[in-house]
Structures are given as C-alpha cells and as structure tokens.
Amino acid sequence: MSHFVLDARYLLCPMPVIRTQNRIAELAPGDTLEVQATDPGALHDIPAWCRVHGHEILETRRDGNNIVITVRVIS
Amino acid sequence: MSIPRSAAVSAPDPAPAAGTPRKAVALISGGLDSMLAAKVMLEQGIHVEGINFYTGFCVEGHTHAIRNHEHAKPKRNNALWTAEQLGIKLHIIEVIEEYKDVVINPKHGYGANLNPCLDCKGFMVRKAREWMEKNGFDFIITGEVLGQRPMSQRRDTMPVVARESGAFDRLLRPLCAKLLPETLPEREGWVDRSKLLDFNGRSRKPQMRLAAQYGFTDYAQPAGGCCFLTNEQYSHKLTDLWTTRGTKQYEIDDIMLLKVGRHLRPRPNFKLIVGRDEGENNFLNGYRKRFTHLHATSHQGPLVLIDGTASEDDLELAARLTARFGKGREAETVTLTVTDAAGNSRELKVAPIPANDIPPEWYL
C-alpha cells in the first residue's frame, strides 16, 4: 500500500477528475492518492467520481486557491 | 451504400456465465435522453457503465464557473451527476487532440454552425466501441431519438453512425429502437425489444413523461445542447480565428479563450479579449504571460488580452477600447498599464473611445 501525489493544479475541470481517474486506474486497492488542484470544480467532481466508482475520500482540504483531496483506492 | 452482411451482422457471443448480466456501455452526455436510455437498460437487468468524452468544446465543467453570476448556482458535472442518479460508473475520456480532425475536416460537413454532429457522433460511438472491446462489454447504447437532431439523428444518418463507428448492430438506441431494425442485443434476447421505445421527432414530451415515471425530477436540459460548436456566436469567433490566422487549426487554449470575455477585432492583425466581470478577469489573468495585456490603473476596469501582433498605433487603440470598458469610460483620460508577454510594463494615458466610434462589426 503506497501513497501517491497527483499534481492537477492549474488544470480546468474536467481535467483534474480525468487525471485522477487515469492515475487511480494504475493503482492497487489500498493505495492512497493525494490530488492537488486549483479549479474549485474539482471539489465537486472528484468526490462525485469517487462515489460512483466506490473509492473512499479520506480528506478534502481547501487552503485559499489550493485544494487537496485524498482518495483511498478501493478496488 | 450497402454493407457486407458479414460486417453488419455480428456473430452472437458465447453466453456469459450463469447469473452474469450482459454489459452495455452508455454514452452519457449529462442530458436527459442519455440518462433515460441508460435507465431503460438497467430496468432490463443489463449491467451499464457510462462513458463521457471531453472534447474541449463541452459546455460542461469550468465554463459554468468562470462568470460571477453563475457562482451562486451549485456547480456540477452533469455527466457525473447523471451517473450518480443511475448508480452506474462513469468513465470520462479526454479526446482533445483526436477530436480536432472531427472539427477541422468533417467528412459530412457542418450543421447550422460549426457543429459537425454526424462526424462527431460517429467518432464518439467509435471511441465507445474501442472501449467496449477493450473492457469486454457486449454492446453500446445512446440516447438518440429518431428525428430529434437535424443532422445526426435521422433515419438515413443513424445507419451511417453505426457503420462508420464500426459498432454495426452492437449499437442500440433504446429510446427509438422500435422504429429501427433489430440489433444484436435484441436478436439474441439480451434485451426485450417489446420493452424498448419508439420516440420520434423533436417533441420532448415523451422523454419528460418517462422521466416522471422513473422519478427523475432534476435533470439538465441545456438549451443549445452540451457543445459550444452549436452556438452561433462561438462558431463566428472560431471562424474568425481560422480566417485571420490563415489556417484551420486550433490549440486547446484557443478554444478555451473563445468561451470567455467579449471579443473585438478592430484590425485583422489583432483582437482584444475583454473580461466582463471579476470571474473572467481572473480566468484571463491566467493567460497573461502569453499575451500582451492591458488594464486601467486610474479606474476600475477589465483585464484585456491582445491576441495577435499590435503596432504602437494598435496598442493605443487597444488602450482606448480598454478604457471604454472600465469605470473611466466617461473620464477625459484614463491611465493604463500595458505589459508584454515577457513582462515588460509601461504606462499609457488615453482618452476612452466613444461608444459610437466602435463599429458593431468589431464585436465577434
């Protein structure tokens, strides 16, 4: 089980969720992925994408323009 | 054109293991029709997963968030929202580069604007077919309705999509299947044709009735569809970009910027992109390192990007226009900063151009 970081900053939606989806496809169950983004749309899209695919959101943080969403890969 | 029967009619697949449902990949736009089509399949016990394509021209996504007045509305990705309502997975595929050929060289031409609907549908169904084959799915469904769209959803063009995508009879349109020849999933009994629909024409009433029946109350009904290429003003700006550059090409940043701001072309060699509110100014600010840009310092006003090459004369005109769109529009002089893409700034003092001196044809 490993931790990975995805830099999706300065990308406009829906690119952050697409990058998240493509990265998660390469990870194993139990791995965690920390997604960094700046488009506020990511706050909606990434959790919604995780819900429909059954992945778990561990944390969502917003610090000014910087957004960090941590996902645990379920399957 | 006739199709060799061997290519048009798929051989049935071996039956899946007992208790394993057949699998369909559904094109999900985020609109009502594709949502209903997927629901009709789910009701028949088919395993459905959604696929959605990001071409760069999608009205979805960030474009809702840019303008200030739209901040009040909760922003959502309609395709993801649809998938969540249906309880299905959604795969979002970025096709920006591949899609350029569809927009630039559509074999079947454009619709009323720069919308290459027939080529586009063929492209998307082909991508869905590739996805289906790679992921071991059995067939493809769309929310197409016979006669709904003047170009891609006609009796004579629907077979073109099936053929050119290579999907042939693995392409099922649940909302109008009863009006079309039987497809493989129907022939093999994977789905019950008698429970499919016969929607026809431009009326939305049958869809709304079916939505009510399924208990869908909150769904997206975008007036101009979900694609900027069906928009007249957007298409006009894209035509202008191709004409003035002398080449029918685009990059993703070009088509993003066409969605934002007021575009004015006072001279063939440059145009201005004028932010209309704080949201757009912030968006344009992200591009300031790639364009000469102006903003007023003596008054509040927009950020303005210059796309093209501007002479000293042109810059003065650009400055006068920039002043016109700010709070200093009635002032005698407005002070502005002009910064080139390398970051070199200088100050200009100009008189705002009177509104009557802006010919309407400058507005793209």
Side-chain angles (χ1 to χ4, degrees):
Chain A
M1 272 172 255
S2 312
H3 182 72
F4 300 87
V5 176
L6 173 68
D7 184 357
R9 290 174 302 161
Y10 312 113
L11 295 174
L12 296 171
C13 283
M15 289 311 296
V17 67
I18 295 175
R19 293 280 170 87
T20 301
Q21 165 192 271
N22 296 351
R23 192 76 184 89
I24 284 179
E26 302 164 351
L27 303 183
D31 286 348
T32 50
L33 181 67
E34 177 184 315
V35 185
Q36 303 169 342
T38 46
D39 188 326
L43 283 170
H44 176 275
D45 291 1
I46 293 173
W49 183 87
C50 288
R51 285 194 299 274
V52 304
H53 287 267
H55 301 301
E56 186 185 356
I57 299 283
L58 296 179
E59 192 188 19
T60 302
R61 268 187 294 140
R62 186 175 189 175
D63 178 12
N65 290 329
N66 293 310
I67 293 159
V68 176
I69 300 169
T70 308
V71 183
R72 191 201 320 269
V73 180
I74 298 299
S75 59
Chain B
M1 196 173 86
S2 69
I3 316 155
R5 193 154 170 85
S6 58
V9 181
S10 309
D13 295 348
T20 312
R22 289 288 176 175
K23 295 180 179 179
V25 55
L27 270 72
I28 297 288
S29 65
L32 178 60
D33 293 2
S34 54
M35 183 182 191
L36 291 172
K39 182 68 176 172
V40 168
M41 288 296 95
L42 289 167
E43 292 285 298
Q44 292 210 19
I46 300 293
H47 173 90
V48 179
E49 295 190 19
I51 193 168
N52 173 261
F53 298 100
Y54 179 57
T55 63
F57 293 101
C58 308
V59 178
E60 275 310 312
H62 63 92
T63 40
H64 290 301
I66 296 169
R67 297 212 67 183
N68 279 349
H69 63 86
E70 281 161 319
H71 278 184
K73 290 186 224 161
K75 180 177 130 48
R76 70 182 189 202
N77 176 310
N78 281 323
L80 273 170
W81 181 85
T82 300
E84 210 170 356
Q85 299 307 300
L86 293 166
I88 64 171
K89 290 184 177 179
L90 181 77
H91 310 276
I92 311 174
I93 318 286
E94 181 265 297
V95 292
I96 294 165
E97 277 305 311
E98 279 179 271
Y99 196 71
K100 285 180 178 174
D101 194 49
V102 175
V103 180
I104 293 168
N105 304 304
K107 184 168 142 191
H108 300 287
Y110 299 107
N113 295 298
L114 286 178
N115 45 314
C117 292
L118 186 48
D119 288 77
C120 176
K121 185 61 85 174
F123 171 86
M124 288 185 177
V125 175
R126 176 168 63 77
K127 297 299 291 179
R129 174 185 58 80
E130 290 165 5
W131 190 95
M132 167 186 84
E133 288 166 356
K134 191 174 156 207
N135 291 281
F137 275 52
D138 301 297
F139 61 105
I140 302 159
I141 61 165
T142 70
E144 289 168 287
V145 166
L146 199 60
Q148 174 106 267
R149 298 260 333 150
M151 196 174 189
S152 55
Q153 301 188 25
R154 295 195 323 233
R155 187 173 287 284
D156 59 328
T157 57
M158 283 192 165
V160 174
V161 172
R163 186 173 66 233
E164 293 189 354
S165 63
F168 298 108
D169 60 355
R170 286 180 190 266
L171 173 58
L172 173 67
R173 285 106 164 182
L175 299 188
C176 61
K178 278 184 170 169
L179 303 172
L180 299 172
E182 207 173 43
T183 59
L184 180 75
E186 297 160 271
R187 211 167 47 243
E188 290 301 313
W190 303 341
V191 304
D192 180 349
R193 182 175 169 93
S194 73
K195 291 182 183 155
L196 301 176
L197 298 150
D198 56 359
F199 293 175
N200 182 12
R202 301 195 67 125
S203 165
R204 307 287 299 155
K205 283 185 187 148
Q207 285 92 318
M208 286 155 91
R209 268 199 300 273
L210 188 59
Q213 195 182 313
Y214 287 139
F216 298 149
T217 49
D218 173 23
Y219 43 81
Q221 290 260 50
C226 56
C227 175
F228 267 107
L229 293 169
T230 59
N231 177 291
E232 184 179 354
Q233 200 188 2
Y234 187 91
S235 297
H236 180 61
K237 287 189 276 193
L238 183 55
T239 304
D240 167 80
L241 185 128
W242 285 340
T243 310
T244 51
R245 290 192 187 168
T247 171
K248 207 175 165 188
Q249 297 294 332
Y250 63 82
E251 295 305 325
I252 183 71
D253 285 335
D254 294 325
I255 60 173
M256 288 292 151
L257 284 167
L258 295 184
K259 298 176 186 177
V260 178
R262 192 181 263 128
H263 291 235
L264 287 96
R265 182 174 294 284
R267 306 269 185 270
N269 53 305
F270 77 99
K271 75 168 174 181
L272 303 182
I273 307 174
V274 184
R276 288 173 292 189
D277 57 35
E278 194 191 339
E280 290 196 338
N281 287 338
N282 289 339
F283 181 84
L284 295 176
N285 197 39
Y287 287 89
R288 71 189 183 286
K289 290 187 177 156
R290 279 186 262 172
F291 295 89
T292 295
H293 52 280
L294 305 100
H295 68 275
T297 51
S298 57
H299 299 80
Q300 279 192 331
L303 178 68
V304 174
L305 304 184
I306 297 185
D307 183 14
T309 48
S311 68
E312 196 55 35
D313 247 22
D314 296 336
L315 278 183
E316 181 170 334
L317 176 59
R320 296 187 66 205
L321 283 160
T322 304
R324 171 81 234 157
F325 291 109
K327 293 263 165 68
R329 62 178 66 88
E330 304 299 336
E332 261 181 41
T333 56
V334 170
T335 310
L336 303 102
T337 299
V338 185
T339 310
D340 65 21
N344 306 306
S345 290
R346 66 200 167 92
E347 200 169 80
L348 279 179
K349 284 185 198 302
V350 297
I353 191 167
N356 291 340
D357 289 0
I358 307 177
E361 60 270 22
W362 286 7
Y363 288 95
L364 298 177

